[in-house]
Amino acid sequence: MNAETSPGRAGAGPATPHLHTQTVPGGPGRAVFVHGLFGRGKNFTTAAKALAETHTSLLVDLPNHGESPWTERFSYLEMADALAATLREGFAADGPVDVIGHSMGGKTVMALALLHPELVRRLVVVDISPVRSPETGEFPHLLGALAGLDLTALGSRAEADEQLSGPIPNPVTRGFLLQNLRPVSRASAGAAAGAQSTDARPAAEARFRWQPNLTLLRAELPAVGGFPDLAGRTFGGPVLWVGGTRSDYVTTEAEPVMRTFFPRERKVMVKGAGHWVHSEKPEEFAGLLRAFLTAAE
């Protein structure tokens, strides 16, 4: 299964990238939100604001996404180390924090809790399991459709939306993906600024670019769908495992593995929600977060 292994990992390595973050001010509690594949920290702004009465939130861009640096390979272990290093620099400097992760971000925060448990007070894992995901869902098709866009001939984001309406008929899904399409003229602060693209086409010919590292992420989809070999590690803190009833990512078959890693996990399935629980059922999701993060020990 080509699972990553973690022998002798005591902390982040020298090549650990610094991750871009954004803070949503609020109460004295501290919550960290980690997005899924082709997402970015800002995707959790609504959820963070819903917690503002009790929590100040940190929205994180993972490597190869948003405004965080690109890397040469995809690794959950390295992303967990990068997240740990970023948290130690400030947000978790005074003690453990609450951590919420969705999909790819859920696998990252599970690895974080298992490798760096001193940083995590409570953990929320959203619609993902610590096992190989079922064919990485529809992402091979979605990323393939994005890669098929000719950025050198693209005149506007509306034009991209029109071209993608055939292969990606759901307008909500298209909108989610197209948030990552950026005008080249605004790229100076982006994660790929100054980075060497693996695309043979010179970036100067295009008016738009993908902010995430589309070439790498598409090539590494098997790794994205996997989970590192962290056998023997456990996280003893409270864990909320949230799934959508219309999604296939949280299954009864994965429950024994989840309980082995996280013996205090509690599973909640949100009725009518698909994979993007937080955006499809925002009020229900916010209610679950508030109840879990503020509950007595």
Side-chain angles (χ1 to χ4, degrees):
M1 296 178 64
N2 296 322
E4 294 180 80
T5 56
S6 59
R9 297 180 67 84
T16 300
H18 176 78
L19 303 182
H20 177 268
T21 63
Q22 177 180 329
T23 301
V24 177
R30 288 162 296 162
V32 179
F33 288 89
V34 184
H35 62 83
L37 183 62
F38 238 65
R40 52 181 174 167
K42 289 181 180 179
N43 295 150
F44 279 99
T45 300
T46 298
K49 289 181 177 178
L51 288 181
E53 185 176 340
T54 58
H55 284 70
T56 293
S57 294
L58 191 72
L59 311 182
V60 178
D61 289 349
L62 287 174
N64 301 299
H65 292 79
E67 296 186 41
S68 285
W70 287 10
T71 61
E72 295 182 356
R73 64 179 181 177
F74 183 95
S75 164
Y76 279 115
L77 299 177
E78 291 174 7
M79 288 199 297
D81 282 348
L83 180 57
T86 299
L87 294 178
R88 285 195 179 97
E89 288 177 359
F91 202 70
D94 296 327
V97 296
D98 298 324
V99 184
I100 303 101
H102 169 249
S103 193
M104 178 190 74
K107 289 187 174 183
T108 302
V109 301
M110 284 190 282
L112 173 77
L114 294 169
L115 292 166
H116 307 278
E118 72 283 358
L119 295 174
V120 182
R121 189 183 79 103
R122 296 187 180 211
L123 182 69
V124 181
V125 178
V126 185
D127 210 60
I128 204 68
S129 304
V131 297
R132 174 161 292 281
S133 300
E135 302 299 324
T136 58
E138 59 180 341
F139 274 103
H141 167 71
L142 295 177
L143 298 193
L146 300 187
L149 282 178
D150 183 358
L151 300 185
T152 64
L154 198 63
S156 67
R157 185 176 280 106
E159 187 177 322
D161 184 68
E162 181 180 357
Q163 291 184 29
L164 290 172
S165 62
I168 307 176
N170 188 317
V172 176
T173 302
R174 286 202 312 276
F176 168 77
L177 295 170
L178 286 173
Q179 70 178 336
N180 295 288
L181 187 65
R182 298 298 194 190
V184 169
S185 60
R186 299 178 185 175
S188 57
Q196 180 63 45
S197 172
T198 55
D199 193 327
R201 183 185 300 118
E205 294 183 9
R207 291 179 57 186
F208 290 88
R209 68 177 181 88
W210 293 111
Q211 192 173 38
N213 192 343
L214 174 59
T215 301
L216 173 76
L217 295 172
R218 189 181 179 208
E220 295 274 27
L221 278 175
V224 175
F227 190 74
D229 180 3
L230 293 170
R233 296 179 183 266
T234 60
F235 173 72
V239 177
L240 180 64
W241 191 21
V242 180
T245 59
R246 295 191 299 104
S247 174
D248 297 326
Y249 286 92
V250 174
T251 65
T252 54
E253 291 78 10
E255 287 181 6
V257 180
M258 190 71 175
R259 281 194 297 270
T260 297
F261 284 134
F262 307 103
R264 295 179 64 188
E265 66 89 4
R266 178 169 68 92
K267 186 174 78 169
V268 176
M269 300 299 290
V270 179
K271 187 176 181 179
H275 184 52
W276 284 275
V277 180
H278 54 288
S279 59
E280 296 176 29
K281 299 288 183 178
E283 293 183 4
E284 293 91 332
F285 182 69
L288 287 172
L289 289 185
R290 283 192 293 263
F292 176 69
L293 298 182
T294 60
E297 290 286 349

